[in-house]
Structures are given as structure tokens and as C-alpha cells.
């Protein structure tokens, strides 16, 4: 079962990837401060499901740890990409949050307890 350190590190990697994808899509250079910042955002977001629903028992997984949450995040990412009202930095931040949170759910989906549907 992934621990907090694993969730943070994988979330940080996911946040950094999200930053790189947005920058590439907008033909902007990848800058180290942005990469580091979005990695940090992704790392913190990778911890959010366990902050919302602390792992007090093996059955702690509810809506914040569900396939429904994963589908909602995926849907939000698609809408985010098409939103013309958001600035580049806002998209980077939201995508890093979504990737970080989603990484937690994907890691937990691979455990014996998996994720509930709702």
C-alpha cells in the first residue's frame, strides 16, 4: 500500500508532467521555477485524498477515494483544456492539482482494497 511519501513523490512527478504538457501545448519554454512549483503543487495534491479521508482503517475509502472522483477529475481536465477564460498559469496550477490528486487514486486503485465506485 502506498504511503504518504510515495503519494507525495508520485504526485510531484505528475504535477511536473502537467506543467510540461501545458507549456509544450502553448509553445512556451519550460522554466525551472515553474517546474519546481507545479511539482510541489502536484505533491501536495497527491496527499489530499488522505487529508480529506484519513486512513484510520483499511476501509477509509469513500467519495474522495473513488472511481467517481477519478472520472470527475478526468472530465474536469478535458473542460480545463478548452476553457479560453483561464490564463496559462491558472491552467498549469489546476492541471497540476488534478494530476497530483489523480495519481493518488491510481496508486490506490492498484492495492488489494482498490477504489469504491462511489
Amino acid at each position: 500500500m502506498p504511503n504518504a511519501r510515495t503519494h507525495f513523490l508520485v504526485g510531484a512527478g505528475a504535477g511536473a508532467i502537467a506543467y510540461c504538457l501545458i507549456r509544450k501545448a502553448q509553445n512556451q519554454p519550460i522554466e525551472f521555477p515553474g517546474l519546481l512549483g507545479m511539482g510541489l503543487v502536484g505533491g501536495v495534491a497527491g496527499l489530499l485524498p488522505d487529508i480529506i479521508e484519513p486512513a484510520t482503517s483499511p476501509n477509509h475509502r469513500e467519495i474522495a477515494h473513488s472511481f467517481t472522483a477519478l472520472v470527475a477529475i478526468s472530465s474536469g481536465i478535458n473542460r480545463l483544456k478548452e476553457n479560453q477564460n483561464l490564463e496559462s498559469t491558472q491552467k498549469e496550477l489546476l492541471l497540476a492539482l488534478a494530476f497530483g490528486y489523480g495519481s493518488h487514486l491510481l496508486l490506490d486503485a492498484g492495492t488489494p482494497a482498490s477504489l469504491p465506485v462511489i
Side-chain angles (χ1 to χ4, degrees):
M1 174 150 356
N3 60 20
R5 181 173 189 230
T6 301
H7 283 304
F8 180 84
L9 292 174
V10 173
I17 289 169
Y19 171 77
C20 292
L21 290 173
I22 288 282
R23 300 297 279 196
K24 183 177 179 185
Q26 296 174 342
N27 289 324
Q28 295 181 3
I30 295 169
E31 298 169 346
F32 183 72
L35 184 65
L36 188 62
M38 292 307 137
L40 181 60
V41 167
V44 172
L47 299 173
L48 283 177
D50 284 340
I51 292 170
I52 296 167
E53 295 170 353
T56 56
S57 75
N59 299 321
H60 74 282
R61 296 178 182 165
E62 294 180 15
I63 191 72
H65 280 89
S66 68
F67 282 110
T68 303
L70 191 57
V71 169
I73 289 168
S74 299
S75 174
I77 289 170
N78 283 331
R79 296 192 71 181
L80 174 69
K81 290 188 310 187
E82 299 168 4
N83 191 328
Q84 301 297 323
N85 297 321
L86 294 175
E87 294 179 16
S88 175
T89 306
Q90 292 170 314
K91 287 184 179 184
E92 291 166 5
L93 178 67
L94 292 171
L95 196 60
L97 282 166
F99 273 40
Y101 195 103
S103 74
H104 183 111
L105 299 180
L106 291 174
L107 286 171
D108 281 1
T111 66
S114 192
L115 297 177
V117 173
I118 293 180

